[in-house]
């Protein structure tokens, strides 16, 4: 009986963190800091949204997203910060 309860609670917690809308990132949860005249915040936000839209914040790898943003011309470096429960900050 205890094993069943622990299994059920574990399943619920896994679903909550990895599948529920509570931790899902979308374009309105992306904050851009440091945009300039060559790279607009909307360009960077769109590039990131293509990678992370609908994913749980727990499943997003900041280094991979930063490498993708760095492909935008005029971007020298990118730092991605996860802010729980569902926000990405791009510097």
């Amino acid at each position: 009986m205890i094993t069943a309860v622990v299994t059920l609670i574990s399943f619920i917690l896994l679903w909550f963190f990895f599948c529920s809308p509570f931790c899902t990132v979308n374009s309105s949860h992306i904050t851009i800091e440091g945009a300039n005249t060559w790279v607009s915040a909307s360009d960077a936000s769109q590039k990131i949204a293509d990678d992370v839209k609908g994913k749980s914040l727990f499943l997003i790898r900041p280094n991979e997203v930063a490498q993708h943003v760095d492909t935008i011309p005029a971007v020298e470096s990118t730092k991605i910060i996860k802010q729980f429960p569902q926000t990405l900050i791009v510097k």
Side-chain angles (χ1 to χ4, degrees), residues 14-71:
L14 285 172
W15 176 84
F16 180 76
F17 289 116
F18 292 101
C19 300
S20 77
F22 179 72
C23 296
T24 301
V25 176
N26 63 41
S27 57
S28 66
H29 298 123
I30 298 171
T31 303
I32 308 293
E33 297 177 1
N36 58 39
T37 57
W38 297 284
V39 181
S40 71
S42 63
D43 288 344
S45 180
Q46 185 60 45
K47 190 85 159 179
I48 295 166
D50 292 342
D51 283 345
V52 302
K53 184 178 180 184
K55 289 185 181 177
S56 168
L57 195 60
F58 291 96
L59 298 175
I60 295 170
R61 294 189 170 119
N63 290 338
E64 290 179 8
V65 176
Q67 288 174 350
H68 194 97
V69 174
D70 287 342
T71 64

